[in-house]
Amino acid sequence: MPQRLITALVLVIVLLAAAVQAGCWDLRQAEDLGYVMATAVDRTPQGLVKLLVQVPNPRALAAGPRGGVTPGASISSKAFRNYEVVGRTIFDAIRAAAHQSPKRLFFAQNRTVIFSEDLARQGLGDVLDFFGRSVEIRRRLNRVFVAKGDVRKILNVPNPHGVCPALRIDNIVRWRGQTSHFAAVPLSKVLETLSLDGQEPFVGVIEAVANPTATPRVRKDLSMEPPLTITLTGAALFRQDRLVGFLNEPETRGLLWVLNEVRGGQLVVPGPGGKGQIAADIHGGQATIKPELTDGRIRMTVEISVVGDVAEAEGPFDLSKPEVAKEIDRLCAAAVRREVLAAVAKAQEVQSDVFGFGEAFRRRFPQEWKTIKDDWPEIFPGVEVLVKVDAEMIHHIGMISKSRAISVP
Amino acid sequence: MRRRLTKKLMDLLARSKKSVVQPVDGKQDLGRTETRVWEPAELERIPLSPDLQVNITRLKEVFDTNPDFIVREFDIAGGRARAALVFIKDLVERSLVGHNVLKSLMLDYRPREPNGRPLWEDMKRVAVTAGTVKEITNLRQAVEGILEANAVLFLDGEATGLVMEAEGFEKRPVGQPETEAVVRGPREGFVECLAVNITMLRRWLKSPNLQFENMFFGRVTRTRVALAYIKGLVDPGLVDEVRRRLRRIDIDGVFESNYLETMLRDSPYSPFPQMIATERPDKVAANLLDGRVAILTEGTPFVLVLPAGLVALMQSPEDYYHFGHLGSFIRLLRWMAFGISLLLPSLYVAVTTFHQEMLPTRLLLNIVASREGVPLPAVLEALLMEVAFEVLREAGVRLPRAIGQAVSIVGVLVIGDAAVTAGLVSPQMVIVVAFTGITSFLAPAFDLAISIRLLRFPVMLMAGTLGLFGVISGVLAIFIHLAGLRSFGVPYLAGLVPFHSTDWKDILVRFPMWTMRRRPAELAKQNRYRMAPNLKPGPARDNHKKE
Amino acid sequence: MALSIVLVLLAFAAMIAYEVPRMLREKMRRELWAFFVLIAIGLVLSIGQILKLPLPNVTRGIEAVVRPVYKALEAMLT
Amino acid sequence: MREEGQISAYQAMGYQVSIVLATAILFVPAITAQYARQDAWLSLVLAYLFGSLQVFVATKLALKFPRETVIQYAPRVAGKILGKVIGFIYIFYFFYVAYFVQREFEALMSAAYLPQTPIIVVIIMLTLLAAYVLYGGLEVLCRVNAIILAVALFGLLLIFLLIVKDIEFTRFLPFLENGVGPVVLGAVVPGGWFGETAVILMLLPFIGNQGKTLKTSLLAVTILFVVMEMVVIGAVGIMGPNETGRFLYPTFNIARRVTIEALPILERQDAMFMMIWVAGMLMKLSTFFYAGTLGLAQWLNLRSYRILILPAGAVMTALGMQAWENIVELKSFSGEVFPLTIIFVNFMLTGFLYLLTFLKPKSLQGAS
């Protein structure tokens, strides 16, 4: 038995020797990687891929109050680096970045993918393959955006709350339920929608706008307010993989209503009787699409039920009265309906079925769908869309029932 | 029974070693003075002689020049007969020898004549006031009697001797168990003296069914070992198996129960303990009640309890002394600590060097930031830190308590902090290693903690070469090993696999006492129930009947 | 390549060292035969692969027989 | 020769479940969804019926010879030469599945976790672990399996619970869009896989309470069916049939999707899935490796199968390395060739033997 044990040990040592000899395989130290936090893709006029990746600089983080001889503590360094590289494909560009980056770029922590408007208008298909194929890219965690304006500017706005702008985008997305006025579509959703015949993808829109609170620049100081600020706004509509148009903020919410993606938001409607205004806090909605086929005409009925609260009531009304409550419900329902119809109108205008009406139709009428499948983009603009909204906005009305306007005589 | 067993054992011992000396025939060897070695079997073949002088000379020859070997010759019954008392000076209680034997024989004893009784019989019945006496007939018994701290009495004209209990040497008093302290529960621990330990067990289990079997191990040390079990609860096959394995042992010395443990194990190369070593009598008593067998060894407070699987090793007597919920909580904590202390450094290494995607972004950046400037790869850092930790721990244990504390303070606070500040190690690694070290203290069986400490290193190496795949391979290898392991025929993972639903009441959590009616399924083949059914307490439910 | 061959040889040597002494001791002749036949097959296959020799591929053989059957099934059902 | 261990019918059921689960869970959703699309769940129902039939026949046959494995009684049933040939086909089948498992294992490992590590290292690691199990024998195999299966089923359930909120049931509409044909075609692969439970042919003589074997075997297929339904419904319901069909490993992708916004620590924990799956693959490999080695030892009338473990493992690994050049070949093989081959052995060959026992009742003598 001992001699068998020794043989087994020899075997293990041989294996270990082989392992050491062959190198470290997949071992890579955490600090040797450059964690890409945001990836932006553009196309040069020559048709090459221009890639911009954002990598945080941990050395800037390490310069905390640790004392001692922490290397790098004395050098004040920028919290992130942006690398811009050009290549024939995305992968080519990433590897081209190796000429500049001291760390191997690592994409598993990436959460933001931004395409330039130009590229999106030319079509995403070619570049999306990398994002779908790569093991490092997390389809579900990445949010896809189209940039209005220069991507470089957007990704260079300092983030006073965190390490880099990418994390700021991530956090804005996290609180999207505050307005539901912009889309934040996961990469997985885009890819899945692209694989469907009766639905077109849409993505969020990102933009750098002037910061009204920017401090006049005196000297280079980290604590100053930057001149630009990042904002997410609206949605970009695609036909197949090509950008064809944008939705503004209320229209975006109109789209999100149909897709059951509204997590919350504000709804401002004129008060009952046309006096004052009511601001409601949406809690969520539930929508169903019912396709109908009568005499060769396709009609979609979208039924939405909305639940929410009154957050503000500026005007002389008494919310404790049931009829006032009913009126508010009706007004809110109308507002939601307007949003949805505006979105439908815009989508039909650019022939982009982002709502998945085609899919809904296919599920209900599979045989008929086969005949119209190829003509769907032409048929879609002519589809009649009915929107029925049932709003129930008075769950809570806050701490007071009557507005101050009438409580003071 | 006991004597037969001992004799058999000694025979075995003797046979195994080839006797080099010719058997000695009584008288012709009287004059020999050269040094020679006496084998037990040889001594056994020499009967006691009726001639007192022959016996004395032979014993003197056996004990040779030992200065503490005392032969006290005296006359009894007013000079009617010569007698001798033989003992080793410092092993016996002098007042006992003086009072029970010498005084009573020399001064008080007046043989009542003629009552038809030979002097020897009369003397034994009237004059010897020692409690335990035993008659012997050969030299070996005499020698062994003397060495076991007895006094041996010879009477001229009698071919028998009388071994009288006179033990009297210093023993450590019963104190708190050093390695297994409890908050609530009995505070006495075993000591080095076997007799005291047996007494303790007797006090815990006042049943005639509690059986002890005496054995002696060590050709030279002749260490007394007691096998303890409860008849009717224990599986007789198990006791036979233990006896059979014990009989095989032929060694020159046994100083600690581990000498026996290493020779009794089912799987000698396994790093896992296959018996419980404990110094708590309550734990031993409770395990005997579960149908286990205990081996008590003279000279060590650590008693072996067997068979023991992983489940039994994770149980601590305190689980049952506390309120059930707390007991369960501690038990759960312990299993968790078991996992953590085996895997935490490996998981940390695997995640930070292979699976960076698994960490939340902020945590990852945090780790990266603190690892900037650390010169070693994470695997080596972890290995080094673990080694350093083991060094500190060992130093702390060996040093006197006061210095030990100073060492741990210097080691942990000063060195650790300085290493982090100097950028040699990352603070996260210090946390990981320190926490791992602390969790390993939660194992109720020290042996188990040791095996985990040892296994941590190969798993860490695997993590460093193959990442989480390496970790899971290591864990699976350990699992396969444990699944194949047996302790005295009982599967090591009994309860978990092979699955016994009744045992689960006492594995991850401790169920209330009244639900644990059955003894462990693999142990108690007979007499399975511990208690009467329906013992669940509560307010009286049959009040209405009393009216 | 050379290293791979050395490693393969070492691995097979370790297998032989691990199993054969016991078989010799217990005079398991049949077992020894089976053992060495398997070792030989294993050696030929692994060295052949390292050197990229054109060895017969059993799996390909199975595939050649079964794939047409599947294609027929597929055509039938779709 | 005899293996000394003894197991219970429920432990055997544990194997039957885990050997199919480990590989089927990765490949079946994609292959089935490719053909049957949103009706993949229906394909599974057909596959379940077919699998039950296979395991029923296999168990019935095995129960006629309660003391022997199929290798031992095949010569008596089918005649000396033909019986030995059939025995050899079974043995080859066991190794064939085993090296297929090795390569499947390697395929995902190197694609998703260890792209730079030489694949042979990963394969050898798993094979050595399997060899270690085999040295322990059948009892060790069944104990390890019990733990792993419990953990694996729990893990799968957890993943399923975490993603169930994303399932859209509208994805399963329309029902039977392209008729029954594709559904049947989609059932071939899982049906073949379910038939792997016929490994009971090798395990039966070591089962203590054989009376229950038929029941537990059918129960094993049922458990498999439920779990596979869970996975397929999860995959198709979340990603839609098109995407499911496009993935190499849809289940792995589902595991990667687990996100909870309130608990970001739970994101990207697919490596945990990997760990459970490695354990499952180990069980599958060990079982077939065991069946093959034991069968070979019996076929050659050897005294112990243990001496064959290492050389047989080496041959198996070499065959596996030789068989497929890359993942594309492997996937096409696993979808189009592999199921038919195992159906041939598990259904046709076993059924043939079963029929022969009626034609030659003499062969049953001495079996009890």
Side-chain angles (χ1 to χ4, degrees):
Chain A
M1 197 62 197
Q3 133 242 337
R4 297 186 103 200
L5 197 76
I6 291 163
T7 337
L9 273 178
V10 169
L11 205 72
V12 169
I13 290 168
V14 167
L15 279 176
L16 268 181
V20 172
Q21 212 280 337
C24 290
W25 299 333
D26 288 286
L27 182 133
R28 32 176 208 218
Q29 296 300 320
E31 67 273 20
D32 294 342
L33 296 179
Y35 299 97
V36 176
M37 292 292 165
T39 312
V41 189
D42 197 354
R43 222 180 256 288
T44 63
Q46 294 80 38
L48 296 174
V49 170
K50 191 159 82 181
L51 185 76
L52 189 121
V53 292
Q54 181 161 80
V55 180
N57 179 11
R59 205 160 271 261
L61 291 171
R66 289 239 316 273
V69 282
T70 312
S74 54
I75 316 154
S76 90
S77 39
K78 200 179 166 192
F80 61 90
R81 284 293 315 270
N82 291 339
Y83 295 107
E84 193 178 293
V85 279
V86 174
R88 275 185 290 178
T89 65
I90 294 205
F91 189 69
D92 187 35
I94 290 173
R95 289 298 153 100
H99 293 289
Q100 303 168 30
S101 168
K103 302 186 172 195
R104 179 190 176 286
L105 295 183
F106 182 68
F107 283 82
Q109 294 280 350
N110 190 33
R111 283 167 171 274
T112 309
V113 178
I114 302 173
F115 296 110
S116 73
E117 198 180 329
D118 287 348
L119 174 72
R121 285 197 189 279
Q122 289 165 35
L124 296 179
D126 301 338
V127 291
L128 272 180
D129 183 77
F130 173 78
F131 292 98
R133 190 177 299 277
S134 167
V135 176
E136 280 180 16
I137 302 266
R138 300 293 157 140
R139 300 163 150 233
R140 180 58 195 265
L141 293 178
N142 276 296
R143 306 275 175 182
V144 185
F145 298 97
V146 164
K148 272 188 179 167
D150 191 357
V151 182
R152 240 177 283 176
K153 266 190 208 158
I154 297 171
L155 285 181
N156 215 5
V157 179
N159 178 9
H161 308 289
V163 185
C164 56
L167 286 177
R168 176 162 165 190
I169 297 169
D170 196 37
N171 282 340
I172 296 174
V173 167
R174 194 169 159 213
W175 298 109
R176 64 188 178 281
Q178 295 283 302
T179 63
S180 295
H181 267 165
F182 60 87
V185 187
L187 181 60
S188 55
K189 184 86 186 169
V190 174
L191 294 169
E192 280 154 27
T193 319
L194 272 175
S195 76
L196 299 175
D197 293 324
Q199 190 165 12
E200 306 293 349
F202 68 100
V203 302
V205 176
I206 191 167
E207 205 176 346
V209 295
N211 181 2
T213 60
T215 35
R217 177 165 173 156
V218 185
R219 61 190 170 88
K220 187 105 180 127
D221 184 0
L222 283 174
S223 59
M224 72 170 196
E225 275 286 336
L228 290 175
T229 186
I230 294 176
T231 177
L232 302 188
T233 168
L237 304 183
F238 283 69
R239 189 160 67 230
Q240 302 287 20
D241 61 335
R242 281 166 208 274
L243 173 69
V244 287
F246 290 99
L247 293 185
N248 68 17
E249 291 180 350
E251 285 163 0
T252 304
R253 190 156 70 200
L255 166 61
L256 296 181
W257 281 122
V258 181
L259 296 173
N260 271 330
E261 295 271 346
V262 173
R263 304 269 182 88
Q266 81 283 24
L267 201 62
V268 181
V269 294
K275 284 167 287 184
Q277 319 182 65
I278 299 271
D281 183 8
I282 301 161
H283 287 177
Q286 195 68 42
T288 44
I289 304 172
K290 287 186 181 150
E292 287 163 59
L293 185 66
T294 40
D295 316 326
R297 278 195 55 78
I298 298 166
R299 192 166 72 182
M300 296 285 161
T301 309
V302 182
E303 287 175 7
I304 305 172
S305 67
V306 184
V307 182
D309 293 334
V310 169
E312 246 178 335
E314 294 177 357
F317 12 82
D318 185 352
L319 290 182
S320 57
K321 284 187 185 150
E323 56 275 17
V324 176
K326 234 180 210 135
E327 181 65 11
I328 292 174
D329 282 352
R330 199 187 57 76
L331 287 166
C332 286
V336 170
R337 189 162 170 274
R338 270 198 304 280
E339 286 180 350
V340 175
L341 285 174
V344 170
K346 184 66 87 48
Q348 286 184 332
E349 183 189 319
V350 297
Q351 299 187 350
S352 165
D353 181 10
V354 280
F355 303 94
F357 287 149
E359 276 301 300
F361 185 79
R362 183 181 71 87
R363 280 177 214 126
R364 180 77 178 74
F365 306 104
Q367 297 311 321
E368 290 81 352
W369 170 252
K370 276 180 190 158
T371 60
I372 62 166
K373 191 164 76 176
D374 298 330
D375 303 327
W376 181 247
E378 285 74 48
I379 297 172
F380 168 69
V383 171
E384 183 190 353
V385 179
L386 278 185
V387 181
K388 290 179 186 164
V389 184
D390 171 33
E392 197 178 315
M393 301 308 284
I394 312 236
H395 266 190
H396 306 285
I397 49 174
M399 297 297 186
I400 45 179
S401 62
K402 295 175 188 175
S403 296
R404 197 156 295 277
I406 58 164
S407 65
V408 179
Chain B
M1 177 71 202
R2 180 189 124 187
R3 283 184 56 185
R4 229 181 51 223
L5 202 74
T6 323
K7 192 161 157 276
K8 244 186 181 164
L9 207 75
M10 296 310 292
D11 278 348
L12 269 167
L13 290 187
R15 220 176 296 141
S16 67
K17 187 146 187 183
K18 234 168 106 186
S19 183
V20 282
V21 187
Q22 288 295 311
V24 192
D25 177 74
K27 283 165 194 165
Q28 68 196 58
D29 260 351
L30 274 181
R32 281 182 57 168
T33 49
E34 77 263 37
T35 344
R36 54 168 298 189
V37 179
W38 294 87
E39 298 294 330
E42 208 179 319
L43 288 171
E44 188 149 10
R45 267 178 249 122
I46 308 174
L48 290 178
S49 154
D51 185 347
L52 181 65
Q53 280 313 316
V54 172
N55 285 339
I56 290 174
T57 320
R58 278 182 185 158
L59 281 173
K60 276 189 172 161
E61 209 176 296
V62 172
F63 282 95
D64 209 1
T65 56
N66 281 318
D68 54 353
F69 175 68
I70 305 290
V71 179
R72 172 73 163 89
E73 291 181 63
F74 55 95
D75 290 353
I76 60 168
R80 258 188 56 187
R82 280 191 307 134
L85 192 66
V86 190
F87 55 92
I88 290 186
K89 194 169 63 180
D90 301 318
L91 280 181
V92 298
E93 174 68 53
R94 280 172 224 181
S95 67
L96 271 180
V97 172
H99 194 264
N100 282 5
V101 190
L102 293 177
K103 177 167 176 283
S104 94
L105 284 174
M106 289 162 76
L107 301 180
D108 306 341
Y109 181 44
R110 297 279 175 273
R112 277 167 289 167
E113 265 183 286
N115 57 3
R117 212 157 44 183
L119 182 64
W120 177 249
E121 280 302 308
D122 193 54
M123 181 192 79
K124 270 197 305 184
R125 288 188 170 265
V126 179
V128 177
T129 54
T132 314
V133 295
K134 196 175 85 185
E135 283 196 48
I136 54 169
T137 54
N138 65 40
L139 201 58
R140 176 178 167 179
Q141 288 168 315
V143 169
E144 277 166 8
I146 292 164
L147 286 172
E148 276 159 33
N150 298 310
V152 183
L153 177 71
F154 295 104
L155 189 68
D156 196 23
E158 284 292 334
T160 44
L162 200 62
V163 176
M164 295 174 290
E165 184 193 42
E167 193 181 280
F169 46 79
E170 286 303 311
K171 306 176 192 103
R172 190 170 64 93
V174 174
Q176 280 223 35
E178 292 270 324
T179 56
E180 293 163 277
V182 292
V183 176
R184 177 171 172 182
R187 303 215 184 275
E188 64 171 13
F190 284 124
V191 293
E192 285 76 8
C193 176
L194 181 63
V196 176
N197 293 347
I198 290 178
T199 325
M200 274 190 246
L201 278 185
R202 281 270 182 228
R203 277 196 287 118
W204 277 102
L205 303 162
K206 296 183 194 71
S207 159
N209 291 332
L210 173 62
Q211 295 286 309
F212 288 96
E213 287 179 17
N214 261 349
M215 301 175 182
F216 292 87
F217 291 100
R219 291 182 202 150
V220 179
T221 58
R222 302 253 323 131
T223 311
R224 200 173 140 205
V225 168
L227 187 66
Y229 53 89
I230 301 178
K231 263 197 306 191
L233 284 183
V234 76
D235 176 12
L238 173 67
V239 182
D240 286 342
E241 175 67 16
V242 177
R243 267 193 223 116
R244 196 179 61 73
R245 290 196 199 180
L246 278 170
R247 268 183 217 139
R248 282 183 54 243
I249 299 176
D250 178 13
I251 183 177
D252 61 350
V254 170
F255 296 100
E256 217 281 336
S257 42
N258 187 47
Y259 279 64
L260 300 177
E261 185 179 349
T262 45
M263 303 219 183
L264 290 178
R265 308 177 103 200
D266 286 56
S267 177
Y269 294 112
S270 169
F272 284 90
Q274 288 148 48
M275 293 164 217
I276 305 172
T278 176
E279 47 177 335
R280 296 193 61 87
D282 52 333
K283 191 170 177 179
V284 175
N287 275 307
L288 290 179
L289 265 184
D290 276 350
R292 292 198 171 82
V293 173
I295 298 177
L296 293 82
T297 313
E298 176 87 55
T300 175
F302 286 94
V303 171
L304 300 177
V305 176
L306 54 97
L310 190 62
V311 169
L313 283 161
M314 292 296 277
Q315 290 165 345
S316 151
E318 219 182 355
D319 297 350
Y320 310 93
Y321 300 158
H322 283 302
F323 179 51
H325 300 103
L326 180 63
S328 300
F329 178 65
I330 297 175
R331 184 73 67 74
L332 274 175
L333 215 57
R334 204 177 283 146
W335 280 103
M336 221 169 69
F338 178 82
I340 289 176
S341 68
L342 179 64
L343 293 179
L344 185 63
S346 323
L347 287 178
Y348 179 79
V349 167
V351 169
T352 56
T353 54
F354 285 85
H355 305 274
Q356 287 90 352
E357 76 278 359
M358 282 177 73
L359 293 170
T361 311
R362 277 152 215 266
L363 179 60
L364 178 65
L365 290 180
N366 204 331
I367 289 174
V368 172
S370 65
R371 274 196 59 83
E372 284 285 337
V374 173
L376 294 174
V379 201
L380 283 184
E381 196 190 359
L383 282 174
L384 274 181
M385 289 287 288
E386 282 292 343
V387 170
F389 180 83
E390 295 293 328
V391 167
L392 285 175
R393 181 205 320 245
E394 203 56 21
V397 171
R398 301 293 157 232
L399 286 170
R401 195 161 290 178
I403 310 175
Q405 276 174 4
V407 164
S408 43
I409 290 168
V410 169
V412 174
L413 288 181
V414 181
I415 299 183
D417 193 50
V420 171
T421 322
L424 290 177
V425 295
S426 60
Q428 278 86 357
M429 188 59 88
V430 175
I431 296 171
V432 165
V433 170
F435 189 64
T436 312
I438 289 165
T439 49
S440 72
F441 291 119
L442 254 69
F446 188 62
D447 295 349
L448 192 63
I450 294 176
S451 50
I452 297 170
R453 268 158 72 188
L454 292 178
L455 287 172
R456 198 143 71 206
F457 289 94
V459 180
M460 247 188 278
L461 274 176
M462 299 275 281
T465 42
L466 290 172
L468 281 180
F469 173 59
V471 175
I472 188 68
S473 302
V475 170
L476 284 173
I478 293 173
F479 251 142
I480 298 167
H481 172 73
L482 287 179
L485 203 57
R486 281 166 178 273
S487 169
F488 287 85
V490 177
Y492 202 69
L493 295 179
L496 301 163
V497 276
F499 179 83
H500 297 293
S501 56
T502 50
D503 287 7
W504 273 85
K505 291 173 184 169
D506 202 13
I507 296 180
L508 288 181
V509 293
R510 177 181 80 72
F511 272 49
M513 294 287 182
W514 67 85
T515 62
M516 293 194 280
R517 279 192 69 210
R518 281 163 177 268
R519 299 194 160 86
E522 293 275 346
L523 292 169
K525 300 269 155 80
Q526 39 183 351
N527 201 348
R528 315 195 77 156
Y529 291 98
R530 291 196 167 97
M531 57 185 91
N534 306 325
L535 288 186
K536 183 177 178 187
R541 278 179 209 139
D542 46 0
N543 273 346
H544 59 282
K545 283 181 192 162
K546 283 178 189 163
E547 287 163 20
Chain C
M1 192 116 100
L3 176 83
S4 315
I5 292 179
V6 170
L7 284 178
V8 164
L9 290 178
L10 263 178
F12 277 92
M15 281 179 210
I16 294 171
Y18 190 74
E19 291 288 5
V20 169
R22 196 168 58 100
M23 283 192 276
L24 283 178
R25 224 178 309 129
E26 295 178 22
K27 300 209 166 43
M28 303 160 97
R29 294 182 50 114
R30 250 186 116 78
E31 284 78 1
L32 271 171
W33 264 108
F35 183 86
F36 278 107
V37 168
L38 277 177
I39 287 273
I41 297 174
L43 256 179
V44 168
L45 279 176
S46 25
I47 303 278
Q49 265 173 76
I50 294 169
L51 298 177
K52 300 199 166 37
L53 299 179
L55 293 173
N57 189 329
V58 193
T59 323
R60 286 282 156 79
I62 297 171
E63 192 170 349
V65 177
V66 178
R67 201 181 279 276
V69 178
Y70 185 82
K71 290 288 174 206
L73 194 71
E74 194 177 13
M76 199 174 79
L77 288 173
T78 43
Chain D
M1 62 144 287
R2 297 242 334 130
E3 147 81 44
E4 57 279 3
Q6 212 188 45
I7 59 174
S8 77
Y10 283 99
Q11 285 170 332
M13 179 184 86
Y15 297 138
Q16 287 174 308
V17 173
S18 57
I19 60 172
V20 180
L21 199 59
T23 45
I25 206 168
L26 270 197
F27 283 79
V28 161
I31 298 171
T32 311
Q34 244 171 35
Y35 296 114
R37 304 177 58 78
Q38 62 270 37
D39 299 317
W41 61 273
L42 194 64
S43 288
L44 276 184
V45 177
L46 291 182
Y48 170 53
L49 297 176
F50 185 42
S52 303
L53 176 66
Q54 294 180 63
V55 80
F56 179 80
V57 171
T59 315
K60 275 286 186 195
L61 173 63
L63 280 171
K64 291 197 167 187
F65 304 91
R67 294 271 160 269
E68 287 171 306
T69 66
V70 66
I71 310 294
Q72 286 166 313
Y73 56 73
R76 279 216 312 281
V77 175
K80 194 130 182 79
I81 310 260
L82 186 61
K84 278 284 178 193
V85 171
I86 289 178
F88 185 78
I89 293 179
Y90 272 108
I91 294 164
F92 183 77
Y93 154 74
F94 294 134
F95 283 115
Y96 165 75
V97 177
Y99 70 71
F100 179 70
V101 169
Q102 280 182 328
R103 286 304 299 270
E104 267 188 321
F105 174 73
E106 164 271 311
L108 177 58
M109 280 315 280
S110 58
Y113 298 106
L114 299 166
Q116 317 269 311
T117 307
I119 57 172
I120 187 77
V121 175
V122 176
I123 288 182
I124 286 185
M125 194 78 215
L126 193 76
T127 313
L128 279 182
L129 281 175
Y132 189 22
V133 176
L134 261 61
Y135 273 106
L138 192 60
E139 278 187 337
V140 170
L141 183 57
C142 90
R143 285 191 203 137
V144 176
N145 183 60
I147 296 177
I148 289 174
L149 189 66
V151 174
L153 286 181
F154 178 77
L156 272 177
L157 195 68
L158 190 73
I159 291 175
F160 190 70
L161 286 180
L162 285 175
I163 46 130
V164 76
K165 62 179 191 318
D166 295 340
I167 293 181
E168 291 172 35
F169 283 97
T170 50
R171 298 220 195 254
F172 295 102
L173 294 170
F175 181 63
L176 283 183
E177 190 178 11
N178 298 313
V180 187
V183 177
V184 175
L185 200 60
V188 171
V189 176
W193 247 298
F194 282 162
E196 282 181 355
T197 45
V199 76
I200 196 79
L201 287 172
M202 288 302 287
L203 300 178
L204 190 94
F206 315 121
I207 294 177
N209 43 350
Q210 290 178 340
K212 286 188 181 163
T213 319
L214 192 61
K215 200 180 84 187
T216 55
S217 292
L218 291 174
L219 190 59
V221 184
T222 312
I223 294 174
L224 278 169
F225 167 66
V226 171
V227 177
M228 291 307 301
E229 261 318 351
M230 215 162 81
V231 173
V232 166
I233 288 177
V236 177
I238 288 172
M239 303 188 288
N242 296 11
E243 278 288 285
T244 306
R246 182 170 307 167
F247 275 117
L248 285 174
Y249 317 100
T251 317
F252 166 68
N253 263 74
I254 291 183
R256 278 168 73 110
R257 295 179 65 111
V258 171
T259 64
I260 298 180
E261 275 190 27
L263 268 178
I265 195 112
L266 272 176
E267 286 164 2
R268 310 193 201 89
Q269 297 305 309
D270 47 294
M272 293 294 156
F273 169 76
M274 177 270 278
M275 289 169 85
I276 295 173
W277 176 73
V278 168
M281 287 305 259
L282 173 67
M283 279 306 101
K284 175 155 195 173
L285 181 60
S286 313
T287 305
F288 279 93
F289 192 3
Y290 172 81
T293 321
L294 180 71
L296 192 57
Q298 289 176 335
W299 198 69
L300 295 167
N301 284 324
L302 304 186
R303 267 184 277 170
S304 156
Y305 74 88
R306 286 195 166 79
I307 50 141
L308 294 182
I309 294 173
L310 288 179
V315 173
M316 184 173 83
T317 310
L319 279 175
M321 294 301 291
Q322 180 199 26
W324 302 280
E325 300 272 325
N326 52 42
I327 173 73
V328 181
E329 279 183 19
L330 182 67
K331 191 185 176 203
S332 130
F333 189 91
S334 71
E336 303 183 356
V337 180
F338 186 73
L340 288 186
T341 52
I342 59 178
I343 288 172
F344 169 72
V345 176
N346 286 330
F347 188 58
M348 313 253 204
L349 208 55
T350 310
F352 174 64
L353 278 181
Y354 187 52
L355 288 181
L356 280 186
T357 56
F358 288 107
L359 296 179
K360 292 168 78 179
K362 253 188 200 169
S363 63
L364 290 174
Q365 284 170 4
S368 58

